[in-house]
Amino acid sequence: REDVTTLVAEQSYEFRGAVNGTNVDIGRTNHRGDIITFSTGTPPTISTLQPANVESQTATLKGSLDDLAGAASAEVFFEYRETGASGFQESSRQTLTSSGEFTTQITGLSPETTHEYKARVVASDDGQDTGSLENFTTEKLLRISTQNVNIVDFETVEVTGNLIDLGSSASGDVFFEYREDGDTDFIEIPANEADRQTKTSSGNYTVTFDGLQ
């Protein structure tokens, strides 16, 4: 058995068996069998679409399985990497039984970095296709720091934070989280989102809260 892997999809081919031999009386001999024809099948088709969402360290990639080409199902996924990297990473796979759009979230990306990606499909009948290579750039990282705590009295504190960078956001609502030492969960201050300060640029902010025990 010999597998041929260089055939083209949707193409007709002819083949025949052949043998070459050597006879001690008449020398080299050969024979060719009857010609048989066959046609290769149609592979599935897939398209790489623009991302559904891009943040500083995550992106939701989007693709379209355009045609299953008669296969019962197909696995779809993405290959992605930072532009200039040597090898691709592979996202998790989804199994589809009909054509349509699909999304996959990838995480652990570097902020402010251009990445490239392509959609891929492997059908249940081994048909394969790869979409076009596209790219996106992750957002700047939103960063904040806790500056200091000023104890006003034994039930009240004044806490100052510093919004270092809004990243690619136009604005951000700033607040604090606190808990008693040893507790598991944090409490947000101000608890009501409507009471939080909205910052449109970097800089310090201060929140005073009381009722501590």
Side-chain angles (χ1 to χ4, degrees), residues 44-76:
T45 54
I46 198 167
S47 299
T48 309
L49 305 181
Q50 290 301 304
N53 185 52
V54 177
E55 298 182 2
S56 59
Q57 294 174 295
T58 65
T60 302
L61 305 184
K62 189 175 182 180
S64 174
L65 177 59
D66 300 321
D67 193 348
L68 273 165
S73 64
E75 288 187 335
V76 294

PDB file of all heavy atoms in Angstrom, residues 44-76:
ATOM      1  N   PRO A  44     -14.085  20.796   3.083  1.00  0.00           N
ATOM      2  CA  PRO A  44     -14.868  21.848   3.735  1.00  0.00           C
ATOM      3  C   PRO A  44     -14.196  23.204   3.488  1.00  0.00           C
ATOM      4  O   PRO A  44     -13.014  23.263   3.119  1.00  0.00           O
ATOM      5  CB  PRO A  44     -14.813  21.458   5.215  1.00  0.00           C
ATOM      6  CG  PRO A  44     -13.522  20.719   5.339  1.00  0.00           C
ATOM      7  CD  PRO A  44     -13.354  19.969   4.052  1.00  0.00           C
ATOM      8  N   THR A  45     -14.931  24.267   3.675  1.00  0.00           N
ATOM      9  CA  THR A  45     -14.358  25.605   3.519  1.00  0.00           C
ATOM     10  C   THR A  45     -14.607  26.422   4.779  1.00  0.00           C
ATOM     11  O   THR A  45     -15.667  26.318   5.406  1.00  0.00           O
ATOM     12  CB  THR A  45     -14.940  26.337   2.305  1.00  0.00           C
ATOM     13  OG1 THR A  45     -16.371  26.343   2.391  1.00  0.00           O
ATOM     14  CG2 THR A  45     -14.519  25.656   1.012  1.00  0.00           C
ATOM     15  N   ILE A  46     -13.613  27.228   5.144  1.00  0.00           N
ATOM     16  CA  ILE A  46     -13.691  28.022   6.362  1.00  0.00           C
ATOM     17  C   ILE A  46     -13.143  29.415   6.086  1.00  0.00           C
ATOM     18  O   ILE A  46     -12.277  29.599   5.219  1.00  0.00           O
ATOM     19  CB  ILE A  46     -12.915  27.346   7.513  1.00  0.00           C
ATOM     20  CG1 ILE A  46     -13.340  27.906   8.869  1.00  0.00           C
ATOM     21  CG2 ILE A  46     -11.408  27.463   7.311  1.00  0.00           C
ATOM     22  CD1 ILE A  46     -12.842  27.081  10.050  1.00  0.00           C
ATOM     23  N   SER A  47     -13.668  30.413   6.806  1.00  0.00           N
ATOM     24  CA  SER A  47     -13.216  31.789   6.661  1.00  0.00           C
ATOM     25  C   SER A  47     -12.790  32.344   8.015  1.00  0.00           C
ATOM     26  O   SER A  47     -13.404  32.044   9.039  1.00  0.00           O
ATOM     27  CB  SER A  47     -14.334  32.681   6.091  1.00  0.00           C
ATOM     28  OG  SER A  47     -14.735  32.246   4.820  1.00  0.00           O
ATOM     29  N   THR A  48     -11.729  33.140   8.017  1.00  0.00           N
ATOM     30  CA  THR A  48     -11.302  33.863   9.214  1.00  0.00           C
ATOM     31  C   THR A  48     -11.989  35.215   9.220  1.00  0.00           C
ATOM     32  O   THR A  48     -11.878  35.968   8.250  1.00  0.00           O
ATOM     33  CB  THR A  48      -9.776  34.063   9.224  1.00  0.00           C
ATOM     34  OG1 THR A  48      -9.130  32.817   8.995  1.00  0.00           O
ATOM     35  CG2 THR A  48      -9.315  34.643  10.550  1.00  0.00           C
ATOM     36  N   LEU A  49     -12.703  35.529  10.299  1.00  0.00           N
ATOM     37  CA  LEU A  49     -13.401  36.807  10.416  1.00  0.00           C
ATOM     38  C   LEU A  49     -12.681  37.720  11.397  1.00  0.00           C
ATOM     39  O   LEU A  49     -11.762  37.305  12.097  1.00  0.00           O
ATOM     40  CB  LEU A  49     -14.845  36.570  10.877  1.00  0.00           C
ATOM     41  CG  LEU A  49     -15.677  35.612  10.017  1.00  0.00           C
ATOM     42  CD1 LEU A  49     -17.085  35.487  10.589  1.00  0.00           C
ATOM     43  CD2 LEU A  49     -15.739  36.087   8.565  1.00  0.00           C
ATOM     44  N   GLN A  50     -13.098  38.980  11.440  1.00  0.00           N
ATOM     45  CA  GLN A  50     -12.535  39.922  12.396  1.00  0.00           C
ATOM     46  C   GLN A  50     -12.927  39.526  13.817  1.00  0.00           C
ATOM     47  O   GLN A  50     -14.003  38.974  14.046  1.00  0.00           O
ATOM     48  CB  GLN A  50     -13.032  41.338  12.092  1.00  0.00           C
ATOM     49  CG  GLN A  50     -12.451  41.909  10.808  1.00  0.00           C
ATOM     50  CD  GLN A  50     -10.940  41.978  10.841  1.00  0.00           C
ATOM     51  OE1 GLN A  50     -10.343  42.588  11.730  1.00  0.00           O
ATOM     52  NE2 GLN A  50     -10.293  41.333   9.877  1.00  0.00           N
ATOM     53  N   PRO A  51     -12.061  39.774  14.806  1.00  0.00           N
ATOM     54  CA  PRO A  51     -12.363  39.364  16.181  1.00  0.00           C
ATOM     55  C   PRO A  51     -13.659  39.995  16.687  1.00  0.00           C
ATOM     56  O   PRO A  51     -13.997  41.125  16.335  1.00  0.00           O
ATOM     57  CB  PRO A  51     -11.160  39.878  16.980  1.00  0.00           C
ATOM     58  CG  PRO A  51     -10.076  40.065  15.982  1.00  0.00           C
ATOM     59  CD  PRO A  51     -10.748  40.450  14.707  1.00  0.00           C
ATOM     60  N   ALA A  52     -14.367  39.262  17.538  1.00  0.00           N
ATOM     61  CA  ALA A  52     -15.595  39.781  18.130  1.00  0.00           C
ATOM     62  C   ALA A  52     -15.287  40.766  19.248  1.00  0.00           C
ATOM     63  O   ALA A  52     -16.056  41.694  19.502  1.00  0.00           O
ATOM     64  CB  ALA A  52     -16.450  38.628  18.669  1.00  0.00           C
ATOM     65  N   ASN A  53     -14.139  40.589  19.919  1.00  0.00           N
ATOM     66  CA  ASN A  53     -13.769  41.471  21.026  1.00  0.00           C
ATOM     67  C   ASN A  53     -12.270  41.319  21.295  1.00  0.00           C
ATOM     68  O   ASN A  53     -11.740  40.224  21.263  1.00  0.00           O
ATOM     69  CB  ASN A  53     -14.560  41.117  22.288  1.00  0.00           C
ATOM     70  CG  ASN A  53     -14.296  42.073  23.420  1.00  0.00           C
ATOM     71  OD1 ASN A  53     -14.396  43.282  23.255  1.00  0.00           O
ATOM     72  ND2 ASN A  53     -13.953  41.550  24.581  1.00  0.00           N
ATOM     73  N   VAL A  54     -11.607  42.449  21.551  1.00  0.00           N
ATOM     74  CA  VAL A  54     -10.180  42.432  21.873  1.00  0.00           C
ATOM     75  C   VAL A  54      -9.959  43.309  23.102  1.00  0.00           C
ATOM     76  O   VAL A  54     -10.382  44.464  23.134  1.00  0.00           O
ATOM     77  CB  VAL A  54      -9.318  42.958  20.705  1.00  0.00           C
ATOM     78  CG1 VAL A  54      -7.847  43.003  21.107  1.00  0.00           C
ATOM     79  CG2 VAL A  54      -9.492  42.080  19.476  1.00  0.00           C
ATOM     80  N   GLU A  55      -9.301  42.760  24.126  1.00  0.00           N
ATOM     81  CA  GLU A  55      -8.949  43.522  25.312  1.00  0.00           C
ATOM     82  C   GLU A  55      -7.432  43.480  25.507  1.00  0.00           C
ATOM     83  O   GLU A  55      -6.700  43.128  24.582  1.00  0.00           O
ATOM     84  CB  GLU A  55      -9.701  42.973  26.527  1.00  0.00           C
ATOM     85  CG  GLU A  55     -11.216  43.100  26.382  1.00  0.00           C
ATOM     86  CD  GLU A  55     -11.978  42.619  27.590  1.00  0.00           C
ATOM     87  OE1 GLU A  55     -11.342  42.201  28.581  1.00  0.00           O
ATOM     88  OE2 GLU A  55     -13.221  42.642  27.558  1.00  0.00           O
ATOM     89  N   SER A  56      -6.957  43.845  26.691  1.00  0.00           N
ATOM     90  CA  SER A  56      -5.512  43.929  26.889  1.00  0.00           C
ATOM     91  C   SER A  56      -4.826  42.568  26.899  1.00  0.00           C
ATOM     92  O   SER A  56      -3.692  42.427  26.419  1.00  0.00           O
ATOM     93  CB  SER A  56      -5.200  44.682  28.178  1.00  0.00           C
ATOM     94  OG  SER A  56      -5.797  44.039  29.292  1.00  0.00           O
ATOM     95  N   GLN A  57      -5.501  41.540  27.441  1.00  0.00           N
ATOM     96  CA  GLN A  57      -4.865  40.225  27.571  1.00  0.00           C
ATOM     97  C   GLN A  57      -5.735  39.084  27.041  1.00  0.00           C
ATOM     98  O   GLN A  57      -5.358  37.921  27.162  1.00  0.00           O
ATOM     99  CB  GLN A  57      -4.502  39.973  29.036  1.00  0.00           C
ATOM    100  CG  GLN A  57      -3.429  40.935  29.553  1.00  0.00           C
ATOM    101  CD  GLN A  57      -3.170  40.772  31.030  1.00  0.00           C
ATOM    102  OE1 GLN A  57      -4.037  41.022  31.870  1.00  0.00           O
ATOM    103  NE2 GLN A  57      -1.959  40.350  31.368  1.00  0.00           N
ATOM    104  N   THR A  58      -6.877  39.431  26.489  1.00  0.00           N
ATOM    105  CA  THR A  58      -7.769  38.406  25.922  1.00  0.00           C
ATOM    106  C   THR A  58      -8.322  38.884  24.579  1.00  0.00           C
ATOM    107  O   THR A  58      -8.345  40.075  24.286  1.00  0.00           O
ATOM    108  CB  THR A  58      -8.956  38.103  26.863  1.00  0.00           C
ATOM    109  OG1 THR A  58      -9.780  39.273  26.991  1.00  0.00           O
ATOM    110  CG2 THR A  58      -8.469  37.666  28.236  1.00  0.00           C
ATOM    111  N   ALA A  59      -8.775  37.930  23.788  1.00  0.00           N
ATOM    112  CA  ALA A  59      -9.431  38.246  22.518  1.00  0.00           C
ATOM    113  C   ALA A  59     -10.436  37.147  22.209  1.00  0.00           C
ATOM    114  O   ALA A  59     -10.199  35.974  22.512  1.00  0.00           O
ATOM    115  CB  ALA A  59      -8.422  38.383  21.387  1.00  0.00           C
ATOM    116  N   THR A  60     -11.561  37.535  21.635  1.00  0.00           N
ATOM    117  CA  THR A  60     -12.553  36.563  21.175  1.00  0.00           C
ATOM    118  C   THR A  60     -12.460  36.493  19.660  1.00  0.00           C
ATOM    119  O   THR A  60     -12.866  37.419  18.952  1.00  0.00           O
ATOM    120  CB  THR A  60     -13.976  36.961  21.606  1.00  0.00           C
ATOM    121  OG1 THR A  60     -14.030  37.079  23.033  1.00  0.00           O
ATOM    122  CG2 THR A  60     -14.989  35.911  21.157  1.00  0.00           C
ATOM    123  N   LEU A  61     -11.867  35.399  19.168  1.00  0.00           N
ATOM    124  CA  LEU A  61     -11.674  35.223  17.738  1.00  0.00           C
ATOM    125  C   LEU A  61     -12.938  34.686  17.090  1.00  0.00           C
ATOM    126  O   LEU A  61     -13.727  33.980  17.714  1.00  0.00           O
ATOM    127  CB  LEU A  61     -10.499  34.275  17.482  1.00  0.00           C
ATOM    128  CG  LEU A  61      -9.169  34.665  18.125  1.00  0.00           C
ATOM    129  CD1 LEU A  61      -8.076  33.687  17.708  1.00  0.00           C
ATOM    130  CD2 LEU A  61      -8.782  36.093  17.773  1.00  0.00           C
ATOM    131  N   LYS A  62     -13.120  35.018  15.829  1.00  0.00           N
ATOM    132  CA  LYS A  62     -14.362  34.672  15.138  1.00  0.00           C
ATOM    133  C   LYS A  62     -14.052  34.085  13.764  1.00  0.00           C
ATOM    134  O   LYS A  62     -13.165  34.558  13.056  1.00  0.00           O
ATOM    135  CB  LYS A  62     -15.231  35.924  14.989  1.00  0.00           C
ATOM    136  CG  LYS A  62     -16.636  35.679  14.494  1.00  0.00           C
ATOM    137  CD  LYS A  62     -17.423  36.988  14.517  1.00  0.00           C
ATOM    138  CE  LYS A  62     -18.867  36.801  14.081  1.00  0.00           C
ATOM    139  NZ  LYS A  62     -19.598  38.098  14.114  1.00  0.00           N
ATOM    140  N   GLY A  63     -14.763  33.024  13.427  1.00  0.00           N
ATOM    141  CA  GLY A  63     -14.612  32.393  12.126  1.00  0.00           C
ATOM    142  C   GLY A  63     -15.953  31.944  11.590  1.00  0.00           C
ATOM    143  O   GLY A  63     -16.986  32.029  12.278  1.00  0.00           O
ATOM    144  N   SER A  64     -15.953  31.465  10.365  1.00  0.00           N
ATOM    145  CA  SER A  64     -17.177  30.963   9.743  1.00  0.00           C
ATOM    146  C   SER A  64     -16.894  29.651   9.022  1.00  0.00           C
ATOM    147  O   SER A  64     -16.018  29.597   8.142  1.00  0.00           O
ATOM    148  CB  SER A  64     -17.736  31.986   8.740  1.00  0.00           C
ATOM    149  OG  SER A  64     -18.842  31.446   8.031  1.00  0.00           O
ATOM    150  N   LEU A  65     -17.609  28.600   9.438  1.00  0.00           N
ATOM    151  CA  LEU A  65     -17.566  27.336   8.697  1.00  0.00           C
ATOM    152  C   LEU A  65     -18.546  27.494   7.551  1.00  0.00           C
ATOM    153  O   LEU A  65     -19.753  27.459   7.747  1.00  0.00           O
ATOM    154  CB  LEU A  65     -17.946  26.157   9.601  1.00  0.00           C
ATOM    155  CG  LEU A  65     -17.999  24.790   8.920  1.00  0.00           C
ATOM    156  CD1 LEU A  65     -16.656  24.431   8.291  1.00  0.00           C
ATOM    157  CD2 LEU A  65     -18.424  23.721   9.912  1.00  0.00           C
ATOM    158  N   ASP A  66     -18.021  27.705   6.358  1.00  0.00           N
ATOM    159  CA  ASP A  66     -18.874  28.042   5.222  1.00  0.00           C
ATOM    160  C   ASP A  66     -19.555  26.830   4.599  1.00  0.00           C
ATOM    161  O   ASP A  66     -20.685  26.916   4.124  1.00  0.00           O
ATOM    162  CB  ASP A  66     -18.047  28.769   4.156  1.00  0.00           C
ATOM    163  CG  ASP A  66     -17.432  30.052   4.697  1.00  0.00           C
ATOM    164  OD1 ASP A  66     -18.108  30.757   5.467  1.00  0.00           O
ATOM    165  OD2 ASP A  66     -16.264  30.331   4.367  1.00  0.00           O
ATOM    166  N   ASP A  67     -18.873  25.683   4.600  1.00  0.00           N
ATOM    167  CA  ASP A  67     -19.441  24.499   3.940  1.00  0.00           C
ATOM    168  C   ASP A  67     -18.794  23.243   4.515  1.00  0.00           C
ATOM    169  O   ASP A  67     -17.569  23.135   4.550  1.00  0.00           O
ATOM    170  CB  ASP A  67     -19.191  24.577   2.432  1.00  0.00           C
ATOM    171  CG  ASP A  67     -19.998  23.559   1.638  1.00  0.00           C
ATOM    172  OD1 ASP A  67     -20.583  22.638   2.252  1.00  0.00           O
ATOM    173  OD2 ASP A  67     -20.051  23.679   0.400  1.00  0.00           O
ATOM    174  N   LEU A  68     -19.620  22.312   4.972  1.00  0.00           N
ATOM    175  CA  LEU A  68     -19.132  21.017   5.454  1.00  0.00           C
ATOM    176  C   LEU A  68     -18.790  20.068   4.312  1.00  0.00           C
ATOM    177  O   LEU A  68     -18.143  19.039   4.527  1.00  0.00           O
ATOM    178  CB  LEU A  68     -20.169  20.368   6.363  1.00  0.00           C
ATOM    179  CG  LEU A  68     -20.125  20.751   7.840  1.00  0.00           C
ATOM    180  CD1 LEU A  68     -21.409  20.320   8.532  1.00  0.00           C
ATOM    181  CD2 LEU A  68     -18.927  20.127   8.518  1.00  0.00           C
ATOM    182  N   ALA A  69     -19.261  20.391   3.110  1.00  0.00           N
ATOM    183  CA  ALA A  69     -18.963  19.591   1.910  1.00  0.00           C
ATOM    184  C   ALA A  69     -19.334  18.121   2.076  1.00  0.00           C
ATOM    185  O   ALA A  69     -18.597  17.227   1.672  1.00  0.00           O
ATOM    186  CB  ALA A  69     -17.497  19.727   1.528  1.00  0.00           C
ATOM    187  N   GLY A  70     -20.480  17.870   2.694  1.00  0.00           N
ATOM    188  CA  GLY A  70     -20.971  16.504   2.814  1.00  0.00           C
ATOM    189  C   GLY A  70     -20.496  15.746   4.032  1.00  0.00           C
ATOM    190  O   GLY A  70     -20.983  14.643   4.303  1.00  0.00           O
ATOM    191  N   ALA A  71     -19.562  16.297   4.794  1.00  0.00           N
ATOM    192  CA  ALA A  71     -19.088  15.618   6.002  1.00  0.00           C
ATOM    193  C   ALA A  71     -20.149  15.696   7.097  1.00  0.00           C
ATOM    194  O   ALA A  71     -20.940  16.647   7.163  1.00  0.00           O
ATOM    195  CB  ALA A  71     -17.793  16.253   6.493  1.00  0.00           C
ATOM    196  N   ALA A  72     -20.176  14.694   7.956  1.00  0.00           N
ATOM    197  CA  ALA A  72     -21.175  14.669   9.027  1.00  0.00           C
ATOM    198  C   ALA A  72     -20.892  15.728  10.083  1.00  0.00           C
ATOM    199  O   ALA A  72     -21.816  16.286  10.688  1.00  0.00           O
ATOM    200  CB  ALA A  72     -21.199  13.285   9.675  1.00  0.00           C
ATOM    201  N   SER A  73     -19.625  16.040  10.329  1.00  0.00           N
ATOM    202  CA  SER A  73     -19.247  17.023  11.343  1.00  0.00           C
ATOM    203  C   SER A  73     -17.840  17.505  11.052  1.00  0.00           C
ATOM    204  O   SER A  73     -17.142  16.974  10.177  1.00  0.00           O
ATOM    205  CB  SER A  73     -19.331  16.420  12.749  1.00  0.00           C
ATOM    206  OG  SER A  73     -18.390  15.364  12.888  1.00  0.00           O
ATOM    207  N   ALA A  74     -17.414  18.504  11.804  1.00  0.00           N
ATOM    208  CA  ALA A  74     -16.061  19.031  11.628  1.00  0.00           C
ATOM    209  C   ALA A  74     -15.605  19.697  12.912  1.00  0.00           C
ATOM    210  O   ALA A  74     -16.407  20.262  13.657  1.00  0.00           O
ATOM    211  CB  ALA A  74     -16.014  20.016  10.468  1.00  0.00           C
ATOM    212  N   GLU A  75     -14.313  19.615  13.179  1.00  0.00           N
ATOM    213  CA  GLU A  75     -13.710  20.338  14.290  1.00  0.00           C
ATOM    214  C   GLU A  75     -13.150  21.656  13.766  1.00  0.00           C
ATOM    215  O   GLU A  75     -12.416  21.675  12.768  1.00  0.00           O
ATOM    216  CB  GLU A  75     -12.589  19.527  14.931  1.00  0.00           C
ATOM    217  CG  GLU A  75     -13.075  18.331  15.728  1.00  0.00           C
ATOM    218  CD  GLU A  75     -11.941  17.656  16.483  1.00  0.00           C
ATOM    219  OE1 GLU A  75     -10.772  17.770  16.059  1.00  0.00           O
ATOM    220  OE2 GLU A  75     -12.225  17.029  17.514  1.00  0.00           O
ATOM    221  N   VAL A  76     -13.508  22.749  14.440  1.00  0.00           N
ATOM    222  CA  VAL A  76     -13.007  24.065  14.048  1.00  0.00           C
ATOM    223  C   VAL A  76     -12.184  24.643  15.202  1.00  0.00           C
ATOM    224  O   VAL A  76     -12.470  24.402  16.371  1.00  0.00           O
ATOM    225  CB  VAL A  76     -14.155  25.016  13.676  1.00  0.00           C
ATOM    226  CG1 VAL A  76     -14.864  24.526  12.420  1.00  0.00           C
ATOM    227  CG2 VAL A  76     -15.163  25.161  14.810  1.00  0.00           C
TER     228      VAL A  76
END
